[in-house]
Amino acid sequence: MRIGIVAPPWTPIPPLLYGGIELVVDQLARGLQQVGHDVLLFATGDSTCPVPTKWVLPVAEGQRIGMAVPEIRHTIHAYEAVSDCDVVHDHTVMGPFYSEHYPGLPVATTIHGPFNDELSDLYRANADRVPIVAISHAQRRAAPEIPIARVIHHGVDASVFPFGDGSGDHDGPYVLFLGRMADDKGAHRAIEVARKAGIRILLAAKMREPWEVEYFTEKVEPLLGDDAHYLGEVSHERKLELLAGAAALLFPIRWNEPFGMVMIEAMACGTPVLAFPEGAAPEVVQDGQTGFLCGDEAAMVDAISRLGELKRSNCRAAVEGYFSTDRMVAEHVELYESMLA
């Protein structure tokens, strides 16, 4: 098949820093090409994904994320580029609506965010024409009235992740928080858990938007100290180093997380995940095998003392098995073939 993939215009493919959607798009594009499909990626000009790529925006528009004009311009040029493909997988918000201008072109889209009121209205309006891929059953349950073509969990290539022993760094053992600076992600809860457990915590998090800075200033910064360090938004290479060295990843979310790429990235490095059983966490973490699902902060504190019960090799094996790029790619190919049939 000749497969067109339309990426959002906000971050390069793959991302240099934070970017779960962009990491998935990169893995999908590489994986489809590796199994013999003809892939055309429409992204931004600073993307380095090793597949044929076209663009109109020379650099990612991260400073204007969510604004209509750059996304519409990106979308118009994207569909000109992919119009001769057998099937198109669009990861933008605007693109599936604009695809009406190409009535004979099979287009699917993935919803990467939560089914909130705004996104539910958008996807409901288009679901009868553009097949929707959900990334977890938890995400899908939030809007049962919207038809979903497939639920396809994310996957990564474990071979490019370093397998770590969790022994820490030159200052000793640590647990890790990795994500966005947002109350629902729970950086402040992670600090409190680590402190009560008597272990150092390192925090690497995106903090660009005003509300992220406000949350950090009010709830996270007052908790920092010798045993809790904020490292800023780190590079992909530094992220892998931190994950491999961590005794565990703390994932104390309080929202319906659609997936949580960082969980399988941690597991690929052999690092177990301690999560609250919200959102997709129960679909990703096998309790007692690749981490612990903790009912509250006290349970997460206790889980840190039980990390010795887990085998880091089980975490890696879960990604080499089910949460692999190969499985994710195969399920997408099944979807594309069903669209063409």
Side-chain angles (χ1 to χ4, degrees):
M1 281 184 288
R2 179 163 170 76
I3 303 168
I5 299 180
V6 182
W10 316 122
T11 301
I13 310 296
L16 299 176
L17 298 170
Y18 185 87
I21 298 172
E22 291 76 19
L23 180 62
V24 171
V25 172
D26 177 70
Q27 290 290 295
L28 183 58
R30 291 172 189 251
L32 288 167
Q33 181 171 264
Q34 286 170 359
V35 296
H37 296 286
D38 183 6
V39 177
L40 175 61
L41 173 66
F42 196 91
T44 54
D46 49 352
S47 296
T48 57
C49 181
V51 304
T53 305
K54 292 186 177 181
W55 64 86
V56 64
L57 302 172
V59 296
E61 289 275 7
Q63 297 302 314
R64 295 201 291 169
I65 187 168
M67 294 182 67
V69 170
E71 183 168 10
I72 292 172
R73 183 183 178 213
H74 176 81
T75 295
I76 291 171
H77 287 270
Y79 276 85
E80 290 175 354
V82 302
S83 60
D84 64 343
C85 290
D86 297 317
V87 65
V88 173
H89 193 159
D90 195 326
H91 296 264
T92 70
V93 174
M94 177 64 194
F97 291 93
Y98 185 77
S99 68
E100 290 186 353
H101 292 276
Y102 296 82
L105 183 64
V107 177
T109 189
T110 295
I111 175 168
H112 291 277
F115 271 118
N116 56 25
D117 289 343
E118 290 181 330
L119 289 178
S120 294
D121 285 346
L122 295 180
Y123 286 96
R124 185 182 298 108
N126 223 15
D128 62 339
R129 194 181 59 82
V130 177
I132 299 172
V133 177
I135 58 177
S136 70
H137 297 283
Q139 180 196 45
R140 180 181 190 174
R141 282 194 296 270
E145 76 284 3
I146 297 178
I148 299 296
R150 290 286 298 262
V151 174
I152 302 179
H153 289 127
H154 293 328
V156 295
D157 179 2
S159 69
V160 300
F161 286 77
F163 183 78
D165 60 7
S167 60
D169 56 18
H170 60 277
D171 292 321
Y174 62 86
V175 291
L176 181 67
F177 173 87
L178 185 63
R180 286 185 289 109
M181 274 295 170
D183 195 292
D184 53 18
K185 291 283 192 178
H188 66 292
R189 290 186 288 273
I191 295 173
E192 291 166 348
V193 164
R195 187 160 285 152
K196 289 175 183 175
I199 189 170
R200 188 165 56 105
I201 184 168
L202 302 180
L203 302 100
K206 169 185 171 287
M207 186 174 64
R208 306 178 204 161
E209 313 301 331
W211 52 88
E212 294 169 342
V213 176
E214 181 181 2
Y215 163 71
F216 174 79
T217 302
E218 292 182 358
K219 288 195 172 184
V220 177
E221 192 171 27
L223 297 176
L224 299 179
D226 292 340
D227 60 348
H229 295 272
Y230 173 54
L231 306 176
E233 187 176 1
V234 299
S235 68
H236 181 70
E237 291 73 19
R238 177 62 171 146
K239 176 179 71 174
L240 299 187
E241 181 182 289
L242 289 167
L243 285 169
L249 175 79
L250 302 192
F251 199 68
I253 56 169
R254 286 300 186 205
W255 74 302
N256 189 27
E257 176 86 49
F259 188 79
M261 276 293 289
V262 67
M263 290 190 287
I264 60 172
E265 290 180 296
M267 288 157 52
C269 294
T271 300
V273 178
L274 308 185
F276 292 160
E278 300 198 23
E283 300 174 44
V284 178
V285 178
Q286 187 178 359
D287 189 47
Q289 293 293 318
T290 59
F292 292 113
L293 296 171
C294 311
D296 54 25
E297 292 179 28
M300 192 171 285
V301 172
D302 179 65
I304 290 176
S305 68
R306 298 173 56 205
L307 288 173
E309 300 174 18
L310 304 174
K311 294 181 179 179
R312 294 179 70 93
S313 58
N314 286 343
C315 300
R316 177 78 164 206
V319 177
E320 291 173 333
Y322 180 76
F323 290 108
S324 68
T325 298
D326 290 345
R327 189 270 313 157
M328 177 180 69
V329 167
E331 292 188 6
H332 279 91
V333 170
E334 290 175 0
L335 169 67
Y336 305 153
E337 289 175 342
S338 70
M339 292 166 61
L340 293 175

